[in-house]
Amino acid sequence: MADGLLSDAQLESIIYAGEAHSEFLAGSWTVDTTFDVVAAARDDAENAIRFRRGWFLGDGTGAGKGRQVAGILLDNWSKGRRRAIWVSKSDKLIEDAQRDWSALGMERLLVTPLSRFRQGTPIRLSEGILFTTYATLRTDERGEKLSRVRQIVEWLGSDFDGVIVFDESHAMQNAVGGKGERGEQAASQQGRAGLRLQHALPNARVVYVSATGATTVHNLAYAQRLGLWGGADFPFATRAEFIEAIEEGGVAAMEVLARDLKALGLYAARSLSYEGIEYELVEHQLTPEQVRIYDAYADAFSIIHNNLDAAMRAANITGETGTLNGQAKSAARSAFESAKQRFFGHLLTSMKTPSLIQSIDRDLEAGHAAVIQIVSTGEALIERRLAEIPTEDWGDVQVDITPREYVLDYLAHSFPVQLYEPFTDSEGNLCSRPVYRDGQPVESREAVARRGRLIEKLASLPPVPGALDQIVQRFGTDMVAEVTGRSRRVIRKGDRLVVENRVGSANLAETSAFMDDVKRILVFSDAGGTGRSYHAELSARNRRLRVHYLLEPGWKADAAIQGLGRTNRTNQAQPPLFRPIATDVKAEKRFLSTIARRLDTLGAITRGQRQTGGQGLFRSEDNLESQYGRDALRQLYTLLARGKVDGCSLGRFEDATGLKLMDVNGLRDDLPPITTFLNRLLALTIDLQNVLFTAFEQLLTARIEGAVASGTYDVGLETLRAESFVVTDRRTIYDHPGTGAETRLLTVAQRQRNHPVSLDDALAHLSDRQAVLLVNERSGRAAVQVPAASVMLDDGEIERRVRLIRPMDQHTVPLTTMVESHWHEADRERFATTWLAELAEVPKFTESTIHIVAGLLLPIWKRLPNESTRVYRLQTDAGERIIGRKVSAAWVANVVTTDAPSLTPDAAFAALMEGRTVLDLAEDLQLRRVRMMGAYRIELSGLNDTMRDRLRAYGLFGEIISWKLRMFVPTDLSGIEVLSRVLNTYPVAGISEREAA
């Protein structure tokens, strides 16, 4: 501290972590011998354990998380806890860990890699920090050799109370599986290994570290030690219940989650200021030659698609009756679609590289340093191609290694050529099975001939070199530092292309060369996108302005943001200039859309505000996979079916995309989803892409504008605006027992400026021929009648409706009531006079009262009304900022008048045993005395299956009566203690009397 090795903000993390680690999560548990199954248990049960509370460090990329982790480890080291585990994403990051540890004055070699100890052998370290990766941690037992998790547990001992650091903890996401876009997803191996380590060492001090903790709330399953479910701090009995509640609340609920975790001291998420960072989009306009090449490849894919169908018919995978072998057809289509998507992604990246190279040339002239972020390196492709070339030819490579090879590879290895024979199965269905002769698969001659013609056609198309090779070959290895996972690459020497081998430590040497200003350009992929630093560090020789090019965003939002954090970090001479590179090809939005969708939730979960995920680089409107995108797409399909899209008929669309929109009944019910549509869009000619995407974009914009106008657009934390907000009443409705954090009910008087409909706007509705000007003969008021959507009544009758637009409001009424009302059609002059007279009476302001529940929300989430889970932000006239959920006046009246009755467990037990009292508890539970089998019991009714295990652990017992589980509080001496545990979790909401049972 005296030497300033840790900043105040970093010291704050050490204090927060120490505070969290000093407590245990509520409840007792048992863990089975596999460390996989955790079950609720009674506090006095044999083998019952309690889990120590964990802490989450979610600071943004570049905020010095490694140094803070080292500080937490040192804090525990000085207290005698001399063993620790540091789990990270890559074994290369041990050097960063050793650097951060030694920066605090400790011996760097105390950070020891687990790889030094073979699997199955004891870890012979008396003290030290064991560094391992998630990939190593997930290694299961092999014969006699213990799993890596057990090897670590045996070294630490089951009562270990030191630190376990899960660095880059987002690598454990999907720890319990769940539903994905393509159905059920199995739990990831490394996520399960991380959970096993946490289960096996309940007393350990767990620290989760990630700038991108979760892109969806499902992915927080690994953060078991935060106690978000199954404990007393939050009202969610199970993980599934927690996920359902947060997802129902949308992005705003995720923002509340992050905010409340911070308020409870379980989470810190500070990010570096983006002040001074400039952002400049570089758009590459495809040249006429590039458009010709793109269109040629799009036509080639259309031909491949048609040939694929013909080849499957020739091979008897499909026939006249339909599909004969569903598995083979699905595999063939899947291979084709993935090859197509990968190819066009690479093609677009390669085509925009010339603009990148020109821009880098200008940067180098200006004395800057260029950093280029990519995802794919084409390593697998290079390895396959080099395997086909004799090693003596590696000194002068004559073949093209370009993205086109992906398609040729697909045709050579995945195009369906194996012959299938039709047969009839036991149920009389016509199917097909593969044909073999002497153990060898038999090929269909027609399919092989089609494949040969396709390969010939593609081989004649002009190759477009891969982006990474273009950069390395253009600037040379003396200028370019490459931090990727490639072990071999093709480089230019004079006028020859030669193969160069790269050693395992090449990435470290290349990074050093860049930071020492020996090389001015650095290219990094995912292998160099985590934990590395390429910023203008004050201690580095290269303190030039970093121009960070996002050439290829990829599919993972968290990886894209991790990458952007490589050049904007603490201790830098100057902030970077971010330059995403895009093309004018409409389908490229396919790639940005996935990232924009995930950034919304990423920002919400990690910062408590959705806009911070991408720091403004991507807009939420770029998310084409939203509900608005799906609705707009359905409209587009309808327009295509009706022939209303200029430049693209239904037939042309179906031929070009291979998507079928119609069946015998008209428009299909199961229309292709948005992801399929966007994928198919990639393989269309540029002109057709522009036609379809322009139509789609217009429909999407209209949907979003309509949702914004109606107030239903999910914008996360929504800011309420008015002329004035004044808090007139404050009432505390919940105190958090551990931290003292409060939940407050605020009554706010709001004053809003009125914006009545002007006469011109009212008359503008006459552009609709069904609009009618009205004046009410009794009240003398004016209105414009316009058509409204009809509704179906309970008896099946259709009720036609109209909307009446008034100066300050509008409402919908049945058409039949208009006939019996005093509204009559008026001429334009009378209507105008009446309307203007009403406008003159409208006051400048309207005053109203709103109720906001602010402060800590998650612990009482279930007690809040279900009518709306939207979260709002407002600022009062006094400058106070309020964030919370709006609640109705009726809910407030109920809360205020029914302050929870206070009843001690002893008094409650006595009252229940007497039989005249019924206790209503939170979450619709009820306690009452019942008579069963000739004896009195206290029954808890209204429970659901998620509560069962926890209630058993409290000491309740259950019986199956008439095939229904009923649970009872013991009536012996232990009953008061059991009842006390129940009332702590589910407080008394009401007391009523009845005749004794």
Side-chain angles (χ1 to χ4, degrees):
M1 286 175 71
D3 297 341
L5 297 175
L6 290 164
S7 67
D8 290 349
Q10 290 172 330
L11 283 169
E12 184 184 37
S13 294
I14 297 169
I15 295 164
Y16 270 131
E19 280 284 310
H21 290 154
S22 66
E23 297 177 0
F24 285 83
L25 299 178
S28 297
W29 309 83
T30 56
V31 179
D32 75 339
T33 53
T34 65
F35 307 142
D36 276 327
V37 181
V38 178
R42 293 179 62 158
D43 292 345
D44 55 356
E46 191 183 352
N47 300 326
I49 56 164
R50 295 190 68 195
F51 289 114
R52 189 181 291 279
R53 193 180 291 286
W55 187 70
F56 201 125
L57 174 58
D59 286 358
T61 50
K65 291 191 292 295
R67 188 69 58 90
Q68 293 173 64
V69 167
I72 292 168
L73 290 166
L74 180 57
D75 178 41
N76 282 276
W77 187 276
S78 62
K79 290 171 183 165
R81 293 186 276 271
R82 298 290 176 94
R83 290 186 180 186
I85 300 290
W86 191 329
V87 191
S88 196
K89 202 171 179 182
S90 158
D91 54 358
K92 306 284 189 303
L93 295 176
I94 189 171
E95 308 211 353
D96 296 310
Q98 289 173 334
R99 178 200 67 208
D100 288 320
W101 179 245
S102 62
L104 298 182
M106 301 301 288
E107 169 53 53
R108 64 183 287 128
L109 294 179
L110 282 170
V111 181
T112 308
L114 176 61
S115 55
R116 185 172 293 174
F117 306 96
R118 290 206 314 276
Q119 186 180 352
T121 61
I123 297 170
R124 302 189 194 284
L125 276 182
S126 59
E127 61 179 35
I129 298 162
L130 198 63
F131 185 94
T132 185
T133 64
Y134 293 104
T136 304
L137 192 66
R138 72 181 186 221
T139 311
D140 286 330
E141 58 186 74
R142 297 173 182 169
E144 299 289 307
K145 296 177 180 177
L146 293 176
S147 69
R148 285 294 196 179
V149 169
R150 280 198 187 276
Q151 184 186 23
I152 291 169
V153 171
E154 291 199 355
W155 174 59
L156 295 173
S158 58
D159 58 346
F160 170 71
D161 68 345
V163 181
I164 299 178
V165 177
F166 290 106
D167 202 354
E168 309 297 344
S169 60
H170 52 270
M172 293 190 290
Q173 56 193 27
N174 195 29
V176 294
K179 270 194 163 43
E181 288 177 1
R182 298 188 175 187
E184 293 291 334
Q185 288 181 337
S188 70
Q189 290 295 323
Q190 53 199 40
R192 286 175 61 190
L195 280 178
R196 280 185 198 132
L197 192 59
Q198 295 177 63
H199 295 159
L201 302 168
N203 210 17
R205 291 164 157 79
V206 174
V207 180
Y208 308 103
V209 185
S210 173
T212 50
T215 46
T216 71
V217 73
H218 274 278
N219 291 338
L220 271 177
Y222 65 80
Q224 177 231 16
R225 294 292 186 92
L226 296 182
L228 291 169
W229 53 84
D233 282 338
F234 298 96
F236 311 111
T238 63
R239 183 189 293 112
E241 197 180 328
F242 160 74
I243 288 169
E244 185 184 346
I246 301 300
E247 284 191 334
E248 193 179 320
V251 174
M254 296 177 195
E255 295 169 356
V256 169
L257 169 65
R259 228 170 26 85
D260 281 9
L261 285 175
K262 289 177 194 174
L264 294 170
L266 300 177
Y267 182 55
R270 300 149 303 191
S271 60
L272 285 187
S273 163
Y274 272 60
E275 190 180 345
I277 292 179
E278 292 178 35
Y279 163 76
E280 192 179 282
L281 179 71
V282 178
E283 186 170 283
H284 173 75
Q285 303 282 335
L286 259 59
T287 63
E289 176 61 15
Q290 285 181 325
V291 170
R292 189 189 69 75
I293 293 170
Y294 193 101
D295 287 352
Y297 277 111
D299 289 338
F301 265 92
S302 179
I303 294 166
I304 292 174
H305 194 265
N306 293 334
N307 275 276
L308 178 69
D309 290 339
M312 286 196 292
R313 281 195 299 276
N316 292 322
I317 293 171
T318 58
E320 290 177 9
T321 57
T323 302
L324 300 180
N325 191 306
Q327 199 174 353
K329 179 182 176 182
S330 172
R333 284 208 175 282
S334 174
F336 171 71
E337 289 301 333
S338 63
K340 179 173 77 174
Q341 202 168 314
R342 195 181 304 125
F343 168 74
F344 279 103
H346 287 309
L347 182 67
L348 285 170
T349 304
S350 301
M351 282 186 162
K352 58 190 175 186
T353 307
S355 281
L356 167 74
I357 288 171
Q358 290 171 18
S359 189
I360 291 173
D361 279 333
R362 290 193 292 272
D363 293 338
L364 297 179
E365 281 176 35
H368 305 324
V371 177
I372 304 147
Q373 181 178 342
I374 59 171
V375 173
S376 45
T377 59
E379 182 184 20
L381 191 63
I382 291 172
E383 294 297 328
R384 281 203 294 269
R385 280 289 162 268
L386 291 180
E388 296 165 7
I389 304 170
T391 46
E392 57 266 24
D393 293 345
W394 284 11
D396 187 7
V397 178
Q398 299 292 336
V399 298
D400 292 317
I401 302 176
T402 69
R404 183 183 64 182
E405 312 301 300
Y406 281 112
V407 196
L408 292 170
D409 248 21
Y410 156 74
L411 290 171
H413 301 116
S414 304
F415 192 76
V417 292
Q418 183 172 3
L419 187 65
Y420 283 67
E421 61 179 359
F423 74 100
T424 305
D425 67 9
S426 57
E427 294 176 6
N429 299 318
L430 188 62
C431 304
S432 67
R433 59 191 167 208
V435 179
Y436 292 91
R437 186 174 296 144
D438 301 328
Q440 288 294 107
V442 176
E443 294 183 335
S444 159
R445 286 182 187 170
E446 186 186 335
V448 170
R450 285 180 181 279
R451 181 179 67 180
R453 288 195 294 274
L454 289 171
I455 289 175
E456 193 176 297
K457 177 172 178 60
L458 267 171
S460 65
L461 290 177
V464 180
L468 182 54
D469 289 334
Q470 282 188 61
I471 295 161
V472 172
Q473 291 169 20
R474 165 67 176 76
F475 293 103
T477 51
D478 295 339
M479 182 71 83
V480 179
E482 181 186 326
V483 186
T484 68
R486 294 205 295 185
S487 56
R488 283 197 281 247
R489 60 182 178 179
V490 177
I491 62 168
R492 185 175 295 283
K493 279 197 176 171
D495 57 353
R496 288 183 305 137
L497 293 176
V498 301
V499 177
E500 179 188 73
N501 289 317
R502 300 182 75 229
V503 294
S505 59
N507 284 353
L508 290 171
E510 293 280 63
T511 303
S512 298
F514 177 73
M515 297 301 276
D516 292 343
D517 210 21
V518 176
K519 299 186 177 185
R520 296 267 301 279
I521 301 168
L522 182 136
V523 186
F524 73 92
S525 67
D526 275 359
T530 302
R532 300 279 177 191
S533 303
Y534 313 127
H535 61 310
E537 192 170 7
L538 289 168
S539 59
R541 192 175 301 156
N542 179 0
R543 292 193 290 274
R544 301 172 188 273
L545 170 69
R546 303 295 195 261
V547 184
H548 187 131
Y549 292 96
L550 181 60
L551 181 64
E552 191 182 8
W555 300 98
K556 294 181 179 174
D558 45 1
I561 298 306
Q562 287 275 1
L564 294 173
R566 300 307 103 210
T567 53
N568 182 42
R569 304 179 78 75
T570 48
N571 197 36
Q572 61 187 9
Q574 55 184 326
L577 163 61
F578 282 146
R579 275 191 184 149
I581 301 195
T583 63
D584 55 350
V585 176
K586 298 284 189 185
E588 193 178 16
K589 288 210 171 184
R590 165 72 187 103
F591 301 103
L592 293 180
S593 168
T594 300
I595 284 201
R597 170 166 61 90
R598 291 179 181 160
L599 279 177
D600 279 354
T601 54
L602 177 66
I605 293 176
T606 54
R607 296 278 179 281
Q609 191 173 349
R610 77 193 284 181
Q611 293 85 351
T612 53
Q615 300 289 352
L617 287 181
F618 303 97
R619 302 163 306 147
S620 54
E621 298 91 276
D622 290 333
N623 174 12
L624 307 178
E625 296 162 55
S626 62
Q627 183 60 51
Y628 311 107
R630 290 193 288 272
D631 291 346
L633 181 63
R634 187 166 187 90
Q635 280 183 287
L636 178 66
Y637 287 153
T638 306
L639 293 178
L640 281 164
R642 292 177 184 165
K644 295 284 180 69
V645 177
D646 291 338
C648 184
S649 65
L650 176 64
R652 187 183 178 196
F653 175 82
E654 292 189 337
D655 288 345
T657 60
L659 298 175
K660 293 282 178 266
L661 303 186
M662 308 291 284
D663 58 19
V664 289
N665 299 318
L667 204 61
R668 287 172 49 179
D669 290 334
D670 56 333
L671 287 166
I674 185 82
T675 45
T676 305
F677 169 74
L678 293 169
N679 288 344
R680 300 295 168 91
L681 210 60
L682 275 171
L684 304 184
T685 60
I686 300 291
D687 282 347
L688 190 52
Q689 272 187 43
N690 290 344
V691 166
L692 286 170
F693 207 88
T694 302
F696 172 70
E697 239 174 356
Q698 286 169 349
L699 292 168
L700 177 61
T701 304
R703 300 291 305 182
I704 291 176
E705 285 175 357
V708 170
S710 65
T712 57
Y713 186 62
D714 181 10
V715 290
L717 269 181
E718 193 170 324
T719 303
L720 293 176
R721 304 191 187 281
E723 293 290 311
S724 163
F725 287 112
V726 177
V727 177
T728 57
D729 184 49
R730 297 172 189 271
R731 180 185 294 260
T732 300
I733 57 174
Y734 175 77
D735 276 304
H736 186 262
T739 60
E742 293 180 336
T743 308
R744 295 178 304 280
L745 174 60
L746 306 179
T747 304
V748 181
Q750 71 171 352
R751 194 168 183 232
Q752 289 176 299
R753 184 177 292 277
N754 290 326
H755 296 285
V757 179
S758 68
L759 178 62
D760 289 343
D761 288 343
L763 294 174
H765 287 288
L766 291 176
S767 58
D768 183 341
R769 283 184 298 184
Q770 291 178 274
V772 183
L773 302 178
L774 303 173
V775 170
N776 192 302
E777 298 295 344
R778 177 180 287 182
S779 64
R781 302 297 187 189
V784 184
Q785 176 184 309
V786 294
S790 300
V791 294
M792 182 180 284
L793 302 177
D794 292 343
D795 59 3
E797 189 180 335
I798 302 296
E799 180 179 81
R800 292 181 60 203
R801 294 186 161 202
V802 291
R803 181 177 294 116
L804 295 184
I805 297 170
R806 305 256 303 110
M808 281 299 292
D809 60 19
Q810 48 181 283
H811 54 275
T812 306
V813 295
L815 192 57
T816 51
T817 62
M818 290 299 294
V819 179
E820 300 158 11
S821 72
H822 295 277
W823 290 105
H824 295 293
E825 191 170 346
D827 60 32
R828 198 181 186 108
E829 187 178 342
R830 185 181 175 208
F831 171 83
T833 307
T834 312
W835 190 273
L836 289 172
E838 275 200 73
L839 288 184
E841 295 174 10
V842 174
K844 274 192 174 180
F845 300 100
T846 299
E847 298 196 350
S848 58
T849 300
I850 57 172
H851 303 281
I852 301 270
V853 176
L856 207 58
L857 294 181
L858 273 183
I860 64 157
W861 192 262
K862 284 193 176 176
R863 286 165 54 190
L864 296 174
N866 272 335
E867 58 217 34
S868 169
T869 50
R870 285 166 75 179
V871 181
Y872 297 89
R873 176 199 291 118
L874 63 88
Q875 184 164 344
T876 67
D877 297 0
E880 179 186 1
R881 289 181 177 172
I882 296 168
I883 296 176
R885 270 175 63 173
K886 266 170 84 171
V887 290
S888 65
W891 185 85
V892 171
N894 194 37
V895 167
V896 171
T897 55
T898 59
D899 281 342
S902 57
L903 202 62
T904 64
D906 311 47
F909 187 76
L912 286 165
M913 286 303 293
E914 190 184 342
R916 295 183 179 278
T917 302
V918 176
L919 298 185
D920 292 314
L921 310 185
E923 298 189 34
D924 297 326
L925 295 177
Q926 194 177 70
L927 281 166
R928 63 168 67 210
R929 191 181 81 175
V930 294
R931 188 176 177 84
M932 294 192 65
M933 319 257 305
Y936 287 121
R937 293 185 181 179
I938 299 173
E939 181 178 9
L940 179 68
S941 58
L943 55 102
N944 59 44
D945 62 325
T946 62
M947 303 173 182
R948 185 185 60 230
D949 290 347
R950 173 56 59 209
L951 292 171
R952 281 193 195 281
Y954 288 164
L956 278 79
F957 64 94
E959 286 184 20
I960 307 287
I961 300 168
S962 300
W963 304 109
K964 180 182 177 184
L965 175 69
R966 295 172 68 174
M967 298 201 81
F968 306 95
V969 175
T971 52
D972 58 16
L973 293 174
S974 66
I976 295 174
E977 191 182 337
V978 172
L979 190 60
S980 172
R981 293 180 194 135
V982 172
L983 298 183
N984 278 341
T985 306
Y986 307 104
V988 177
I991 304 172
S992 55
E993 293 223 351
R994 60 162 190 164
E995 289 295 317

